[in-house]
Amino acid sequence: MRAAPRAEDVETALALLFPKDVAVSVVEIGAAGPELFPEEQASLPAAVPAPLAEFAAGRQAARRAMAALGHEGVPVPMGADRAPIWPPGLSGSISHAGGMAAAVLRSGPPLGLDLEADEPLDSGLWPIICSEPELGVLPATDRGLAVRHVFAAKEAVYKAQFPLTGRVIGFDAVAIMFRNSEFNACFLQGAGPIPEGFEMHGRIARAGGLILAGVAT
C-alpha cells in the first residue's frame, strides 16, 4: 500500500535525514483502523480515541518499516517510561504531529526522530527550550519558528540518547547549533555512559507542513 500524497512527501524528506540502512515509514493518523497486537493494547489500558489513533498509526508505520528491512511485523508495546519496546536487534523511533505518524528503524545503534508542526512557538516558551547563548544566535526574524527547530532537534536527541542512558534529560542538557540542514548537539551534562562534551549530529528538514528532525547515533 502506497502512502497518501502528503505522507509520501514527508516520507521522502525524512529518508534524506538518515543513513541508507534506516527504513522510514509515514502514515496518516486515522487512515486505517487500530490494528494492534494484544501486547500493544495492554500497554494502553486507559487509551482514549485520539491517543489510540496516534498509537495505532505509529505502530502501523513501525511494521511497514520492519517489512522494508525484511522482518516480520511484531508487537511494539509501550514501556512504563512510554518509550517503544523494540524487538531484539532493532532500534527505532516513532513520532506524531499534524495528522502524521512516522517511524524509523534499523538493525544497529539507536535513532531519534521528531515531527513538529511547522509553526512558531510562543515567546513564553523560548527561555524554557533555549539557553541565552542558543537564543542569541537565532535569527531575529521568525525567531519563534527557529525555536521550534531547536525544540525538534532536542526531542530527536532525547529519543536517541534514552536507549543508551535510560535518563530523562531536560532542554538544558544539550546545546544545539545549526548549520544549514544539519545540527550539532553538545551535551552540557553527563548522562550515564554519555560524558559531558559528547556530541550527537542530526539533520532537519521541512515537508508537508511539518518540521522533521533526525539523529542516527
Side-chain angles (χ1 to χ4, degrees):
M1 180 185 299
R2 295 185 63 189
R6 179 174 170 238
E8 281 189 350
D9 292 341
V10 175
E11 190 171 280
T12 298
L14 197 57
L16 297 176
L17 304 186
F18 291 95
K20 297 295 185 182
D21 64 337
V22 176
V24 173
S25 179
V26 178
V27 300
E28 290 190 14
I29 296 171
E35 300 176 0
L36 299 174
F37 286 96
E39 299 95 322
E40 294 169 333
Q41 293 174 334
S43 68
L44 287 173
V48 293
L52 177 60
E54 290 183 353
F55 183 90
R59 267 52 189 181
Q60 182 183 15
R63 282 190 262 286
R64 289 183 178 182
M66 290 178 192
L69 292 178
H71 292 270
E72 180 183 358
V74 296
V76 184
M78 182 171 66
D81 52 21
R82 301 184 62 82
I85 301 175
W86 298 102
L90 294 179
S91 298
S93 187
I94 297 173
S95 188
H96 321 83
M100 296 285 118
V104 293
L105 192 68
R106 73 172 171 190
S107 299
L111 300 167
L113 165 67
D114 192 55
L115 308 184
E116 296 293 330
D118 195 357
E119 300 170 354
L121 279 172
D122 184 87
S123 60
L125 297 173
W126 298 359
I128 298 173
I129 296 163
C130 297
S131 65
E132 288 188 10
E134 284 175 314
L135 279 175
V137 298
L138 295 180
T141 57
D142 293 328
R143 181 162 288 187
L145 188 59
V147 174
R148 177 81 77 168
H149 281 71
V150 174
F151 179 84
K154 289 190 176 184
E155 285 292 300
V157 169
Y158 174 84
K159 291 181 180 181
Q161 68 83 38
F162 189 80
L164 299 172
T165 69
R167 301 285 182 87
V168 176
I169 61 173
F171 293 117
D172 60 346
V174 296
I176 301 294
M177 180 65 69
F178 289 104
R179 178 175 292 180
N180 299 320
S181 62
E182 299 184 357
F183 62 86
N184 181 70
C186 179
F187 280 71
L188 304 178
Q189 306 166 12
I194 294 180
E196 180 180 340
F198 183 81
E199 296 183 350
M200 287 187 179
H201 305 280
R203 295 179 177 176
I204 199 157
R206 301 165 76 180
L210 298 173
I211 296 169
L212 321 172
V215 174
T217 59

